[in-house]
Amino acid sequence: MNQISRFARATREVRVALLALLLWVPAAFAQTDPLPSWNDGATKKAITDFVTRVTAQGGADFVPTEQRIATFDNDGTLWTEQPYYFQLAFAFDRVKEMAPQHPEWKTKQPFKALLDKDMKALGASGEKGLLQIVAATHTGMTTDAFAKEMLDWMATARHPRFDRPYNSLVYQPMLELLAYLRANGFKTFIVSGGGIEFMRPWVEKAYGIPPEQVVGSSGVVKFEFGSDGKPELMKLAKVEFIDDGPGKPVGINRFIGRRPIFAFGNSDGDLQMLQWTTAGPGARFAGIVHHTDAEREYAYDRQSKIGKLDKALDEAKAKGWTLVDMKHDWKKVFAFEP
Amino acid sequence: MNQISRFARATREVRVALLALLLWVPAAFAQTDPLPSWNDGATKKAITDFVTRVTAQGGADFVPTEQRIATFDNDGTLWTEQPYYFQLAFAFDRVKEMAPQHPEWKTKQPFKALLDKDMKALGASGEKGLLQIVAATHTGMTTDAFAKEMLDWMATARHPRFDRPYNSLVYQPMLELLAYLRANGFKTFIVSGGGIEFMRPWVEKAYGIPPEQVVGSSGVVKFEFGSDGKPELMKLAKVEFIDDGPGKPVGINRFIGRRPIFAFGNSDGDLQMLQWTTAGPGARFAGIVHHTDAEREYAYDRQSKIGKLDKALDEAKAKGWTLVDMKHDWKKVFAFEP
């Protein structure tokens, strides 16, 4: 090879490499659908149009990165909540597991009803009974011990219908939406009525949302020194904060301190979060997952005891919020085929 | 210019550009002291050694990025807290400003004492009087209205000794430390006994810490609809959470959900945060700002009413925590020369 060809080839190679480098990033984005599990249509377009608008530098609706706060309900919005909240399944399973250490439960309601599988008596114990079960299974231990129990349960328990670990029942389209928002500079938060200590141990792996971006209901926790002389945080049987309904904007204000510009829910418990989000100035997005797919997941709304969607459904229609029709808008529901 | 020279030059130019690009980043870091306002010595070395250890990939003390949580007290740790907490100065100024709308304060304690500048009577009203002043100036308005009042005050009020805006009294060495930690993958949080709503409007600009990374004391907030039909968050005259002393690890658990590996305070109110931080497994750092510089700032510890440092000073010495001697360890205290 002579001098000229060598230089020519070297130059060409470097140029090609540089060009490839320059082209790669935009090309990679342009060619990939960020929401592959969403069917094309008005819902998907509402989402991508909003994100395009608020991220267009110099555009009328541009929002600086630090203000791109997106909040998501968890139960029924990011994962399944039927036949009952998974945290309740955890509490019920824990009662059965703890029963040998609590012989008094054989005669004491609501524990007796639960252990006897007497669903009628359990139902009759009402909210008071439920709180007793939650207190017995969620308090009187350190935060570290609770996190361990929670993760042990998640690793072994199975959903009654799908016969899979509960944390595999996360919605694939919503995982894509979370990743799409983060790729566009959004900070994604969970704002759930569920227990904050129940969610934190597993949501980072499941959703890519770190513990410090999880807002939820909580009980009082006390700092003390354990028998080993080490400091510990003890979970007390006292409710501290209920992050549901009007509690959601309150929780958002307390934990995040900024108003979201994007929020997603699925029930009347999310109504005030959506109202609070959309009442701010500038471009705003409110989305609701409407469970319309009894075949692949569940179908329920106005009459459901779990995840009732009634007032928020009316308001969504009146205000033009984005309603996700699970059956028609989602190509797939879970990462697996049910 | 002939073919050969043209190709040769083009190749050389591209190569030089690539090389410069490759060399620039590490060179820029290697040549700059990330903590220029810290004097060389044991304190500065303790900080940089710790950061080097936990960020050394493959090292025995390596900590993954998502677990690099650093928490900082605010009053006396990131900014001055003498002659009294700046939030108190805000409350006192607000009482004077609001007095025309409250003729009853002319005869009602503790307001009368404050308006008459009767410091003895004000002191006699004790903690109860103080809470009445805080309630009168911090509640009964929306969160948005409070943030505006807070920022208006910050823009106009002046510190009695330094005659400068309060938010200029942030410690330059601590600003450098926050930036240094963030450059090394840490997430920096404020964990302060001060009011969360009092800090959030200004700390992002001052410290680079966004509102969602601010933990503080709080009052109850209520979601409601204003007279304009828009949702709003109303601040009620009821204490919700005191983020001080044993409340700090509780606040850390509630808001962050992870144990810090690095914490900095300056008073006994930070003791439990430092205990909680250092009791975790692996490498841990606890630092205390010791106010030893009456000339450039203030000198106080065991006897001080504000920012008392007594038990935590003993424990720091017993446990080998890093004590910052403000007079000797800091080349400068503020960005300006006092």
Side-chain angles (χ1 to χ4, degrees), chain A residues 27 40 58 80 91 102 112 117 143 150 160-161 178 182 199 226 242 278 289-290 313 336:
Chain A
D40 289 329
T80 296
H102 292 270
K112 180 180 177 347
K117 293 181 185 169
T143 50
M150 198 275 129
R161 172 175 159 192
L178 288 169
R182 288 193 290 259
M199 292 182 283
I242 299 293
T278 51
V289 176
H290 191 186
L313 189 56
F336 61 90

Side-chain angles (χ1 to χ4, degrees), chain A residues 3-4 7-8 10-11 14-15 18 21 66 69 143-144 187 189 196-197 200 204 210-214 216-223 225 230-233 240-241 246-247 249-250 252-259 272-273 275-276 279-281, chain B residues 3-4 7-8 10-11 14-15 18 21 66 69 143-144 187 189 196-197 200 204 210-214 216-223 225 230-233 240-241 246-247 249-250 252-259 272-273 275-276 279-281:
Chain A
Q3 283 285 89
I4 296 184
F7 280 125
T11 310
V14 171
R15 280 189 180 151
L18 274 178
L21 196 74
E66 69 273 14
I69 302 289
T143 50
D144 284 350
K187 206 163 179 179
F189 290 81
I196 199 166
E197 311 259 7
R200 280 176 165 161
E204 184 159 33
E212 62 270 23
Q213 285 162 227
V214 176
S217 297
S218 59
V220 173
V221 160
K222 193 183 171 214
F223 177 83
F225 286 85
K230 280 187 149 190
E232 60 187 27
L233 295 173
E240 182 181 73
F241 176 61
V250 170
I252 287 169
N253 178 65
R254 175 66 59 247
F255 282 72
I256 309 176
R258 287 195 227 256
R259 197 193 293 241
Q272 289 86 352
M273 172 170 76
Q275 288 171 333
W276 178 243
Chain B
Q3 282 285 89
I4 295 184
F7 279 125
T11 310
V14 170
R15 279 188 181 152
L18 274 176
L21 196 73
E66 69 273 14
I69 302 290
T143 51
D144 285 349
K187 207 163 178 178
F189 290 80
I196 199 165
E197 311 260 7
R200 280 177 167 161
E204 184 159 33
E212 62 269 24
Q213 286 162 225
V214 176
S217 297
S218 59
V220 173
V221 159
K222 193 182 171 214
F223 177 82
F225 286 85
K230 280 187 149 189
E232 61 186 28
L233 295 173
E240 182 181 73
F241 177 59
V250 169
I252 287 169
N253 179 65
R254 176 65 61 246
F255 281 72
I256 309 177
R258 288 195 226 256
R259 196 193 294 242
Q272 289 85 353
M273 171 170 78
Q275 289 171 333
W276 177 244

Side-chain angles (χ1 to χ4, degrees), chain B residues 275-318:
Chain B
Q275 289 171 333
W276 177 244
T277 299
T278 52
R284 303 277 155 170
F285 183 96
I288 288 181
V289 176
H290 191 187
H291 293 262
T292 53
D293 195 334
E295 204 175 312
R296 294 185 301 175
E297 204 239 12
Y298 294 92
Y300 58 98
D301 47 36
R302 296 185 196 272
Q303 306 302 324
S304 181
K305 279 193 178 174
I306 301 275
K308 179 179 180 175
L309 175 65
D310 183 35
K311 284 184 192 169
L313 188 57
D314 292 337
E315 193 147 337
K317 287 175 179 171

Side-chain angles (χ1 to χ4, degrees), chain A residues 131-307:
Chain A
L131 278 174
Q132 282 178 280
I133 288 172
V134 170
T137 54
H138 285 65
T139 68
M141 70 200 81
T142 67
T143 50
D144 284 350
F146 179 77
K148 194 189 168 302
E149 279 171 11
M150 198 275 129
L151 288 173
D152 286 349
W153 173 82
M154 190 67 98
T156 53
R158 294 291 178 270
H159 186 274
R161 172 175 159 192
F162 295 106
D163 194 26
R164 285 171 177 271
Y166 286 96
N167 59 353
S168 66
L169 297 174
V170 298
Y171 303 133
Q172 180 61 26
M174 296 305 277
L175 294 182
E176 294 165 8
L177 176 55
L178 288 169
Y180 171 59
L181 289 172
R182 288 193 290 259
N184 280 281
F186 282 77
K187 206 163 179 179
T188 53
F189 290 81
I190 290 175
V191 177
S192 167
I196 199 166
E197 311 259 7
F198 179 79
M199 292 182 283
R200 280 176 165 161
W202 61 273
V203 294
E204 184 159 33
K205 204 172 156 194
Y207 304 133
I209 296 179
E212 62 270 23
Q213 285 162 227
V214 176
V215 181
S217 297
S218 59
V220 173
V221 160
K222 193 183 171 214
F223 177 83
E224 57 182 41
F225 286 85
S227 51
D228 60 356
K230 280 187 149 190
E232 60 187 27
L233 295 173
M234 183 59 69
K235 284 167 67 61
L236 308 185
K238 193 179 167 195
V239 172
E240 182 181 73
F241 176 61
I242 299 293
D243 188 51
D244 196 36
K248 288 207 176 189
V250 170
I252 287 169
N253 178 65
R254 175 66 59 247
F255 282 72
I256 309 176
R258 287 195 227 256
R259 197 193 293 241
I261 64 165
F262 186 107
F264 234 107
N266 80 299
S267 78
D268 284 358
D270 303 310
L271 178 57
Q272 289 86 352
M273 172 170 76
L274 300 173
Q275 288 171 333
W276 178 243
T277 300
T278 51
R284 304 277 154 170
F285 183 95
I288 288 181
V289 176
H290 191 186
H291 293 262
T292 53
D293 195 335
E295 204 176 311
R296 295 186 300 175
E297 204 239 10
Y298 294 92
Y300 58 99
D301 48 35
R302 296 185 196 273
Q303 307 301 323
S304 182
K305 280 193 178 175
I306 301 274

Side-chain angles (χ1 to χ4, degrees), chain A residues 34-48:
Chain A
L35 302 172
S37 301
W38 294 72
N39 287 316
D40 289 329
T43 305
K44 182 173 181 172
K45 194 171 179 309
I47 293 170
T48 53

